[in-house]
Amino acid sequence: MAETKYLIIGNGVAAISALQEIRHADPSGSILLVYDEGEPFYYRASLSEWISGKNSDDMVAGRTPEFYENMKITQLHGRVERVDAEKHQAFLADGETIAYQKLLVATGAQANRFPVKGLGEVLVFRTLADARSLKERAMSCRRALIVGGGILGLELAGGLHLLGIEHVAIAHLGPFVGPPLLDEPAAEWLQERMRADRIVLYLEDTLDRVEGHMTYLRSGRTWECDTIIQAIGVTPVFPEVSGLLTGRGIRIDDHCRTNLPDVYAAGDCTERQVPGSDVWRTTRIWLDCSWQGNTVGRNMAGGDDSLEAKPFFNASVLYTFDYSYIGEPHGEEGEAYRWQGKDGYCKVRVVDGKFAGALKITDRHGAMAMREAVGLPVEADLATRMSHPDFQFNNVTGQDWDYLFY
Amino acid sequence: MMLWDGQAFEASLRRIAEFGLEDCIGANDCMRACPVNRLHVNQNELDSVMASGVWTERVKTFVTECVQCGDCTLACPAQAQRDHMMLLLKSRLPDIPKSWKTYVNLKGRRDREWLISLSNIMARRRIGPMGKYVDKRSLEQKPLLFYFGCYIFSPSGSPLATLKLADRIGLDYEVLAGLRSCCGWPQYLMGRMGFAQQMLIHLGELIDQVRPEVIVSGCAECYVALLRLKKKTAAKWLPLTTPEWLLRHADKLTWNRLDQPIAYHDSCHISKKVGHPQPARDLLALMADIVELTESPQQSLCCGYYNIHANPELNHELHLKKLQAVQEKGAAGMAVECVTCWESFIETFEQANVPVWDLMVMAEQFTRPAGHPTEAEV
Ligand code: SF4
């Protein structure tokens, strides 16, 4: 039976962030990293760059091989099937048992797939292995159908478009693409641009069945294609741990502790209670996962660190455009201030006279300043100016708004 | 009055840089955008060193050569600030590169008074009439302050030209210049945050003696330092770049024009980071037609000033690229608003016989007091 002080299951950003923090706090404690993917930590969020050939193989790797050596990490390829939290033991699929002192479950989530009549192979886009099959496919792909017009579906559509695949369609169940990131006006802005790129959008529709190269949508419309990719969300995955409190994901507190002693969890496999409600929410983004990883790492090494209630922030690629999402830009209450032009879109939301959040597409200058500004009082005139691309955040002095270090 | 504590620089740098590490999604756009990445370093090599604290030779060299232009940060889809991550790495370098020694030993090091005094004695001779402004013992209260810091010694001639223009317009002013009023940027560039912060605090104290309404600087780094100082101390004075200042008095001068078009080089700090690409163009437009070198100021190639010391050869390559762009666009020369950009480019451009105009030097030569007849008219 193998023994380790810290056992980390997973190879995502939560796992890597945790091990970094553990190593800083505990230079000599043994760390064992177990994961069932073929490779250690890689940049999941940049796989579309790898598919499009922009990034080489060694750029996908999140850390260099020396990193693991320098951090004195032992790695084991395998799948943990079951954990006995009382005995502090984890059982691998190949029969091996590992005794641990502290356990972190950071096993992430897997792409949802749904069976479709006539569809043999279901392609999804989540892991490096998925990306490999997609890349192979992309070589011969002429016409594609993406099922699901959420962020992932849009990223895929953008990737395929950039690869020069001329016939790309999206079937999306909702009335507009990109929720919950986009509200309807923002989605309309984007949809117009996608249609200009000749992306076909089937809204309030989904795939019903496939016959040869012909797909039949629920509405009765048809689309001929050679590649079908499902992008319909993810579901948390984790090993069986007796007595562990779970919902959709493993339930954790603000210290990333579970209900069991010495069992911690972080990242996409978890869910947290929305303060003041009985709603539990899974994490949504990369940054959340790395923050959870940092916090859990410190706590596993003896710290007492809780997740900060920071304003939500995400910046990445939406279809082919850069975007930033700050705080809570959408919602019933408050006022919205919108600016839109050929090259960009911005929405600023003010609730009770305070800056609640913003969504910026393409031109994102000031986004970091806005992140600092969530909760600050903002009058209507200022909100209007803030939404305009010419607004100079670095001129707003006196307040710590510009994120320039200076 | 200073509003920030002794560790503030270090702490805020750490905060921003660590956010970058948490936020990095591995797009590698930063390293593709970098103008000095001759080693083809990838983002994961940098992240690995930052996270583990164990250096590799490649990363050490790259960190030494980073010119802090900020192109990486502008390119990041996730809005990580790679330039600040580089700065944090610089601050953690295990040994100070030889090429940095001049900077480390002198610029902004008020704990080395004797060195500063010695250097002042030598440098005063070099700059003739401007020598009297170097580290003045007493400063008068004036509404207008020209802040030249250590660029008083600049061979560009920019400080002298600026004062000639002010005299021509008929302004009353005070001058703050010399190594003792350095803004701390050179230390900052090397990640020596403690020294940088000390210098900036000291600069604030000197400015307080003058109680100015407006402070004018012709160095991009000094200007940014002033912005920072204003923010941190909630100061009332208004920092202006030299073109911003001169434009306010443009009607008090008669302007001559060059009959050939001139290219304009954007300073990374003023045009890209602070986002003020226009004033310098407006000023240049009074004297010549402007040739744009790139589609937008954001795409402008850095002057690489910093590598004058760290890697002159690499710097020369950058300058050749710039020179080529200027020549291809058929411009008769290139104008800059920042003295350090001028210092960086001048050697390569002089060799090719292409002038680099400091905007103040240019304006001094192309103006006379308004209503003053020209020699020909007399
Ligand atoms: S600041 Fe400029 S030189 Fe330094 S890493 Fe970024 S792009 Fe490269």
Side-chain angles (χ1 to χ4, degrees):
Chain A
M1 184 164 64
E3 279 179 28
T4 181
K5 182 165 182 190
Y6 304 98
L7 173 61
I8 300 177
I9 317 176
N11 64 336
V13 66
I16 205 82
S17 307
L19 79 79
Q20 286 167 187
E21 289 300 326
I22 293 173
R23 189 46 86 227
H24 287 151
D26 181 352
S28 60
S30 53
I31 303 177
L32 176 63
L33 192 61
V34 183
Y35 49 86
D36 58 2
E37 280 196 68
E39 40 277 303
F41 174 54
Y42 58 87
Y43 285 118
R44 188 191 305 291
S46 291
L47 285 176
S48 53
E49 267 92 350
W50 178 77
I51 293 181
S52 71
K54 202 168 133 191
N55 282 358
S56 60
D57 289 359
D58 54 342
M59 290 173 194
V60 177
R63 298 287 182 267
T64 56
E66 302 89 66
F67 169 85
Y68 297 96
E69 259 169 57
N70 294 332
M71 299 292 267
K72 291 175 271 164
I73 307 296
T74 312
Q75 301 187 59
L76 182 66
H77 186 246
R79 198 163 62 81
V80 174
E81 278 195 326
R82 197 168 60 79
V83 172
D84 186 330
E86 222 163 274
K87 286 196 185 138
H88 286 62
Q89 287 177 355
F91 305 95
L92 270 65
D94 64 5
E96 169 124 35
T97 303
I98 300 162
Y100 65 82
Q101 291 175 30
K102 309 253 173 173
L103 169 69
L104 170 62
V105 184
T107 36
Q110 70 183 19
N112 294 336
R113 299 158 195 257
F114 77 100
V116 173
K117 205 171 140 203
L119 179 65
E121 176 200 18
V122 178
L123 283 175
V124 291
F125 181 40
R126 172 79 187 165
T127 62
L128 187 50
D130 296 335
R132 280 203 190 96
S133 348
L134 281 175
K135 192 168 184 167
E136 253 167 53
R137 258 322 168 84
M139 304 289 173
S140 59
C141 173
R142 297 281 168 271
R143 301 177 64 96
L145 175 70
I146 297 166
V147 184
I151 303 310
L152 194 65
L154 293 175
E155 188 191 331
L156 264 173
L160 296 181
H161 175 69
L162 291 178
L163 271 175
I165 297 166
E166 277 175 34
H167 305 282
V168 177
I170 295 181
H172 179 67
L173 259 183
F176 56 87
V177 297
L181 189 99
L182 304 182
D183 62 356
E184 199 165 353
E188 269 165 20
W189 181 92
L190 180 68
Q191 285 166 190
E192 204 179 295
R193 268 136 204 93
M194 293 177 76
R195 288 192 176 113
D197 287 345
R198 300 185 44 204
I199 306 283
V200 178
L201 298 173
Y202 296 117
L203 299 176
E204 299 186 80
D205 214 344
T206 191
L207 179 60
D208 185 53
R209 68 197 152 85
V210 182
E211 284 175 18
H213 277 176
M214 192 60 82
T215 60
Y216 294 82
L217 303 186
R218 189 183 287 170
S219 62
R221 292 180 285 197
T222 56
W223 174 257
E224 199 189 323
C225 65
D226 50 50
T227 305
I228 300 169
I229 309 161
Q230 293 186 353
I232 44 168
V234 296
T235 302
V237 279
F238 41 87
E240 185 197 325
V241 187
S242 57
L244 187 67
L245 263 184
T246 60
R248 256 172 65 83
I250 301 171
R251 298 203 155 165
I252 55 168
D253 64 8
D254 64 355
H255 278 57
C256 296
R257 292 177 295 220
T258 68
N259 63 313
L260 300 175
D262 300 325
V263 179
Y264 299 77
D268 288 337
C269 64
T270 67
E271 61 179 29
R272 286 180 64 212
Q273 193 163 18
V274 179
S277 79
D278 50 12
V279 178
W280 289 75
R281 231 190 240 159
T282 52
T283 63
R284 292 185 278 173
I285 50 156
W286 183 269
L287 200 51
D288 265 345
C289 293
S290 52
W291 283 340
Q292 286 192 8
N294 286 343
T295 297
V296 80
R298 286 178 209 132
N299 290 339
M300 287 172 74
D304 178 21
D305 192 26
S306 59
L307 290 164
E308 270 176 66
K310 295 181 198 170
F312 186 85
F313 182 83
N314 196 20
S316 190
V317 178
L318 174 73
Y319 179 54
T320 55
F321 304 107
D322 283 346
Y323 78 90
S324 297
Y325 187 103
I326 306 119
E328 301 290 340
H330 309 313
E332 299 282 301
E333 320 88 70
E335 300 82 45
Y337 301 84
R338 288 190 176 85
W339 178 91
Q340 72 180 68
K342 193 166 64 51
D343 305 322
Y345 177 94
C346 179
K347 175 187 182 185
V348 167
R349 179 168 167 240
V350 177
V351 178
D352 296 333
K354 288 191 181 129
F355 176 54
L359 170 68
K360 290 184 78 108
I361 308 178
T362 60
D363 171 28
R364 303 183 304 173
H365 92 270
M368 295 304 250
M370 285 176 154
R371 175 171 172 260
E372 297 290 289
V374 170
L376 288 183
V378 165
E379 282 165 15
D381 169 55
L382 181 57
T384 311
R385 285 188 290 127
M386 273 168 71
S387 65
H388 199 274
D390 291 340
F391 184 71
Q392 289 292 335
F393 281 88
N394 291 315
N395 286 351
V396 184
T397 47
Q399 284 165 316
D400 214 356
W401 276 26
D402 52 285
Y403 211 69
L404 270 181
F405 167 45
Y406 312 119
Chain B
M1 188 194 35
M2 293 299 144
L3 296 179
W4 78 95
D5 65 72
Q7 301 304 311
F9 266 37
E10 241 118 5
S12 50
L13 175 63
R14 224 181 310 119
R15 189 168 67 103
I16 298 173
E18 280 167 7
F19 174 81
L21 185 65
E22 293 155 2
D23 191 42
C24 174
I25 54 169
N28 208 45
D29 286 336
C30 53
M31 291 298 97
R32 264 189 290 268
C34 175
V36 298
N37 189 3
R38 65 185 171 97
L39 300 175
H40 303 289
V41 167
N42 290 333
Q43 89 291 346
N44 54 6
E45 297 178 64
L46 298 174
D47 290 354
S48 294
V49 168
M50 194 171 150
S52 68
V54 181
W55 290 87
T56 63
E57 279 311 310
R58 276 165 60 79
V59 170
K60 225 192 268 178
T61 308
F62 179 62
V63 165
T64 314
E65 291 175 353
C66 159
V67 291
Q68 293 301 142
C69 66
D71 282 0
C72 45
T73 293
L74 286 171
C76 177
Q79 297 199 297
Q81 307 212 6
R82 181 66 69 186
D83 57 341
H84 288 97
M85 298 164 78
M86 297 303 291
L87 205 50
L88 186 74
L89 285 174
K90 284 180 181 175
S91 77
R92 292 177 177 171
L93 272 173
D95 32 55
I96 296 171
K98 268 210 198 81
S99 51
W100 285 8
K101 289 272 156 76
T102 342
Y103 267 172
V104 180
N105 288 340
L106 188 56
K107 297 249 178 146
R109 285 290 294 270
R110 288 187 52 248
D111 57 333
R112 305 211 167 161
E113 278 295 327
W114 61 273
L115 245 175
I116 291 183
S117 303
L118 190 68
S119 137
N120 274 347
I121 292 168
M122 317 227 315
R124 268 204 194 96
R125 285 195 204 131
R126 221 174 51 225
I127 57 173
M130 295 298 280
K132 64 173 184 276
Y133 295 117
V134 174
D135 291 329
K136 282 175 74 173
R137 272 174 212 268
S138 68
L139 293 159
E140 278 182 54
Q141 290 189 7
K142 290 280 160 72
L144 174 61
L145 173 65
F146 286 106
Y147 170 49
F148 299 141
C150 49
Y151 89 80
I152 183 95
F153 305 115
S154 167
S156 65
S158 186
L160 179 61
T162 308
L163 295 189
K164 280 185 177 173
L165 284 161
D167 293 339
R168 196 170 291 167
I169 298 162
L171 299 170
D172 191 19
Y173 53 79
E174 180 56 284
V175 175
L176 181 56
L179 286 176
R180 288 189 180 86
S181 63
C182 168
C183 68
W185 183 261
Q187 296 292 342
Y188 173 91
L189 261 183
M190 290 174 296
R192 297 321 188 243
M193 294 296 141
F195 283 124
Q197 180 168 345
Q198 274 175 29
M199 285 316 297
L200 198 58
I201 290 175
H202 181 63
L203 173 61
E205 288 161 0
L206 292 172
I207 290 173
D208 283 350
Q209 292 176 25
V210 183
R211 295 177 182 253
E213 285 159 22
V214 168
I215 308 180
V216 179
S217 173
C219 164
E221 285 83 26
C222 295
Y223 171 68
V224 170
L226 289 174
L227 286 182
R228 183 186 337 171
L229 193 58
K230 180 179 168 68
K231 192 175 85 176
K232 293 289 182 188
T233 61
K236 294 281 181 292
W237 39 260
L238 179 72
L240 293 178
T241 61
T242 39
E244 283 172 340
W245 160 73
L246 193 54
L247 278 172
R248 293 177 160 213
H249 302 284
D251 59 341
K252 297 185 196 90
L253 298 166
T254 303
W255 297 81
N256 294 333
R257 285 185 72 80
L258 201 71
D259 51 11
Q260 286 166 305
I262 297 283
Y264 179 66
H265 163 75
D266 285 280
S267 127
C268 293
H269 294 292
I270 298 173
S271 288
K272 298 188 204 173
K273 295 188 186 176
V274 179
H276 288 185
Q278 205 47 45
R281 284 177 168 75
D282 291 346
L283 185 69
L284 180 56
L286 296 171
M287 300 177 275
D289 290 341
I290 303 174
V291 176
E292 292 293 350
L293 293 174
T294 49
E295 247 172 57
S296 83
Q298 300 277 334
Q299 294 160 350
S300 172
L301 185 68
C302 176
C303 74
Y305 174 67
Y306 183 59
N307 268 332
I308 284 184
H309 300 282
N311 189 339
E313 273 164 45
L314 185 56
N315 217 26
H316 187 58
E317 277 170 35
L318 284 186
H319 298 161
L320 286 177
K321 276 192 203 158
K322 194 65 144 195
L323 180 66
Q324 195 187 350
V326 171
Q327 288 172 328
E328 277 172 7
K329 298 269 176 174
M334 181 174 75
V336 297
E337 73 174 303
C338 164
V339 286
T340 49
C341 296
W342 184 91
E343 286 176 25
S344 188
F345 284 123
I346 193 64
E347 204 181 309
T348 309
F349 275 60
E350 254 175 7
Q351 280 165 9
N353 240 334
V354 175
V356 182
W357 290 97
D358 171 87
L359 272 172
M360 289 302 104
V361 173
M362 190 176 186
E364 200 277 317
Q365 291 183 20
F366 281 73
T367 58
R368 54 185 197 280
H372 219 266
T374 60
E375 269 174 45
E377 281 160 357
V378 171

